[in-house]
Amino acid sequence: EIVLTQSPATLSLSPGERATLSCRASQSVSSYLAWYQQKPGQAPRLLIHDASYRATGIPARFSGSGSGTDFTLTISSLEPEDVAVYYCQQRSSWLTFGGGTKVEIK
Amino acid sequence: QLQLQESGPGLVKPSETLSLTCTVSGGSISGSNHYWGWIRQSPGKGLEWIGSMDYSGISYHNPSLKSRVTISVDTSKNQFSLRLSSVTAADTAVYYCARGRQIRDPWNVFDIWGQGTTATVSS
C-alpha cells in the first residue's frame, strides 16, 4: 500500500499569506495525485487532480505541483474561507489518502 | 446538476452487516461510463477508500477490507449500494458515496460527493 504523509499537521497563517502544504508518497505515484479541501461538517471537495490540474470551479489561488514522491499544494493568498483540512490522494496503486493538514487563520 | 445522497441505518450491532444505499439524481448511472465509489472517514483512520463499481457491475474494493465488502448497483432505481459484513467498532465512521471523475477508469479521484451518513457500530 502506498502511504501518503502530509505536513505540517497544522498551518496557522494570516489572511493574504501564502500557504504551502506538502504530501510525500512512500513510493512514486508519477503524477497521479489529487488534493481535496474539507470544511467542518462537509464532504471533501476536489481541488486538484493529476498533480497540477485545477478541478472545475476552483479559484486560481489554488495550485498544485510535484511528481514522483513529493507534491505541494499552494494557496497563493489565504482567504478566511480557506480554513479547512486539506487531504492528498493517490491513484497510482489502488486508492489511498493522506492524513490531512489543517489550515487555520491567525 | 448531479447529486448523490447516502441512506441507511445509523446504528448497527457488532458482527452484523452494515447496508448503505447511494441514490443518484440529476443523471443516470447506466447512461454514464463513470465508476461510483464508497469512501469512509473515521477519527482513527482518516479517509479510507472502500471500493468502486461501474454500471455493469465491475467492482474493485480495498484489499484491507478483505471479503467483507460487497458493492452492487440497481440501475432501475439509479442507486448503488454497500454491504459491509462482520462489523466491529472499528467500522464506525462517516460513509460517503462519490463519483469517479474520469470515465472508464476505476482508479480515480472523486469529483462529486454525497453529504455522508454516520454509521455507528454498537450493541
Side-chain angles (χ1 to χ4, degrees), chain B residues 2 8 13 16 36 45 57 59 69 77 88 90 102 117-118 120:
Chain B
L2 193 75
K13 290 183 168 53
E16 294 189 344
W36 305 85
K45 291 195 73 175
S59 66
V69 172
K77 295 181 179 179
T88 69
Q102 195 160 314
T117 188
T118 299
T120 301

Side-chain angles (χ1 to χ4, degrees), chain B residues 28-38 49 51-61 71-75 79-81 98-100 102-108 110:
Chain B
S28 168
I29 289 179
S30 60
S32 135
N33 288 309
H34 292 273
Y35 274 77
W36 305 85
W38 288 97
W49 171 70
S52 300
M53 162 172 276
D54 76 353
Y55 76 95
S56 70
I58 298 172
S59 66
Y60 301 85
H61 58 81
I71 298 175
S72 59
V73 61
D74 186 338
T75 54
Q79 295 175 334
F80 60 105
S81 298
R99 187 186 78 167
Q102 195 160 314
I103 61 171
R104 301 190 182 93
D105 187 353
W107 310 117
N108 235 312
F110 298 100

Side-chain angles (χ1 to χ4, degrees), chain A residues 3-56:
Chain A
V3 176
L4 299 177
T5 303
Q6 293 189 240
S7 62
T10 304
L11 194 55
S12 186
L13 296 168
S14 300
E17 286 193 298
R18 184 183 193 87
T20 303
L21 287 68
S22 173
C23 177
R24 177 163 288 177
S26 59
Q27 62 191 76
S28 176
V29 298
S30 185
S31 295
Y32 297 129
L33 189 104
W35 292 91
Y36 296 87
Q37 175 193 66
Q38 186 178 34
K39 296 181 180 181
Q42 296 184 16
R45 173 195 181 196
L46 180 65
L47 296 176
I48 302 285
H49 63 88
D50 296 318
S52 61
Y53 294 89
R54 272 190 302 276
T56 303

Side-chain angles (χ1 to χ4, degrees), chain A residues 1 33-34 36 38 41-46 48-50 87 89-99, chain B residues 39 41 46-49 52 60-64 96 101-102 105-111 113-116:
Chain A
E1 173 182 309
L33 189 104
Y36 296 87
Q38 186 178 34
Q42 296 184 16
R45 173 195 181 196
L46 180 65
I48 302 285
H49 63 88
D50 296 318
Y87 295 95
Q89 180 221 323
Q90 65 82 22
R91 65 183 190 94
S92 174
S93 174
W94 302 95
L95 303 177
T96 57
F97 292 84
Chain B
I39 303 100
Q41 185 170 31
L47 288 163
E48 181 180 30
W49 171 70
S52 300
Y60 301 85
H61 58 81
N62 192 324
S64 70
Y96 295 99
R101 177 189 159 272
Q102 195 160 314
D105 187 353
W107 310 117
N108 235 312
V109 300
F110 298 100
D111 62 350
W113 294 62
Q115 66 185 27

